[in-house]
């Protein structure tokens, strides 16, 4: 098992934490990581864009002029695509973009992301900040002490740590992620992944 330093809110060492190699030490599967993140992004698409084909546009039931003898090109309806106000060819229609990803693949993707982050030194383990009340000033000071000011950070916190959530939520570039809601996209979409040490056991229990 790999061992990492646990930092406190002042950036000082506050002990050691062991990381399970089954979660933080595997060979990252890049294909599954890409497939899972892409499926997650596609699931957010509304798919509500819609256009009308020539059969959906109102009107155009009468032939605009006779077939022969006018010198003009033959036309059957004024709702054909070449007419102003006509239907749209190959336009978008309402659909869903969901892609099926197996639960085992999702867990493998998250293990791969955590392993890649750990190998790159992009995981920071911290003690719970234990704020008596919400304070963005204290939160910003804690980030500065950890050397993470101005860095895109995902902060994994305990589900009931309300004060930490309220303190960090207004800081630009900081994404707060309750440990129950960990997912592939939020784990990978950052420069540094900060995890409270109290969340490590839950992550390992779910993913190992």
């Amino acid at each position: 098992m790999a061992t990492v330093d646990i930092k406190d809110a002042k950036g000082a060492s506050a002990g050691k934490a062991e990381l399970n190699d089954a979660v933080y030490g595997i060979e990252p599967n890049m294909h599954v990581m890409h497939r899972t993140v892409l499926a997650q992004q596609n699931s957010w698409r509304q798919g509500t864009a819609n256009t009308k084909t020539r059969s959906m546009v109102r009107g155009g039931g009468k032939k605009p002029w006779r077939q022969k003898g006018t010198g003009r090109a033959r036309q059957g309806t004024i709702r054909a695509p070449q007419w102003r106000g006509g239907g749209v060819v190959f336009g978008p229609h309402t659909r869903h973009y969901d892609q099926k990803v197996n639960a085992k693949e999702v867990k493998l993707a998250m293990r791969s992301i955590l392993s890649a982050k750990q190998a790159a030194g992009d995981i920071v383990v911290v003690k719970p900040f234990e704020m008596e009340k919400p304070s963005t000033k204290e939160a910003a000071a804690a980030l500065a002490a950890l050397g993470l000011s101005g860095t895109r950070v995902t902060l994994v916190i305990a589900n009931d740590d309300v004060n930490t959530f309220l303190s960090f939520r207004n800081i630009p570039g900081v994404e707060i992620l309750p440990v129950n809601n960990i997912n592939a996209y939020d784990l990978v979409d950052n420069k540094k992944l900060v995890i409270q040490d109290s969340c490590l056991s839950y992550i390992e229990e779910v993913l190992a």
Side-chain angles (χ1 to χ4, degrees):
M1 288 189 178
T3 303
V4 296
D5 284 331
I6 301 175
K7 302 290 185 180
D8 61 17
K10 296 182 179 179
S13 179
K16 300 282 187 179
E18 290 188 346
L19 301 180
N20 191 338
D21 288 340
V23 177
Y24 299 91
I26 69 170
E27 181 69 26
N29 189 319
M30 302 301 292
H31 171 70
V32 172
M33 286 167 57
H34 177 264
R35 197 170 112 78
T36 303
V37 172
L38 189 64
Q40 192 173 343
Q41 290 176 310
N42 281 337
S43 71
W44 298 334
R45 298 183 67 176
Q46 289 182 318
T48 53
N50 193 33
T51 54
K52 292 183 178 181
T53 63
R54 60 185 292 172
S55 65
M56 299 175 183
V57 181
R58 184 176 180 181
K62 180 183 177 183
K63 187 174 175 67
W65 53 76
R66 58 187 180 159
Q67 183 81 346
K68 294 179 177 293
T70 65
R72 290 178 289 184
R74 56 193 176 188
Q75 300 291 331
T77 172
I78 60 172
R79 294 298 179 246
Q82 71 270 20
W83 285 74
R84 182 175 181 273
V88 177
V89 181
F90 303 131
H93 298 287
T94 303
R95 55 165 292 190
H96 68 83
Y97 292 88
D98 294 345
Q99 297 176 354
K100 179 175 173 54
V101 181
N102 295 329
K104 288 184 178 180
E105 289 181 289
V106 174
K107 290 185 177 182
L108 175 58
M110 288 195 280
R111 291 198 301 270
S112 296
I113 291 167
L114 291 170
S115 297
K117 290 278 186 185
Q118 171 61 15
D122 290 336
I123 292 180
V124 180
V125 181
V126 297
K127 297 291 287 183
F129 295 108
E130 297 179 351
M131 296 178 177
E132 295 181 359
K133 61 180 181 179
S135 173
T136 302
K137 183 178 180 180
E138 288 184 29
L143 286 178
L146 293 168
L148 300 176
S149 292
T151 304
R152 289 179 62 246
V153 170
T154 295
L155 174 61
V156 181
I157 64 174
N159 298 315
D160 57 354
D161 196 350
V162 178
N163 285 343
T164 297
F165 176 83
L166 296 176
S167 299
F168 282 88
R169 66 177 178 174
N170 288 330
I171 300 178
V174 176
E175 180 72 24
I176 308 159
L177 191 63
V179 68
N180 260 3
N181 297 335
I182 56 172
N183 60 84
Y185 179 85
D186 285 326
L187 289 179
V188 78
D189 186 37
N190 54 70
K191 293 294 184 183
K192 292 288 184 180
L193 181 62
V194 181
I195 306 175
Q196 289 182 347
D197 66 337
S198 58
C199 299
L200 293 176
S201 59
Y202 177 85
I203 293 173
E204 292 176 1
E205 181 182 346
V206 171
L207 299 182

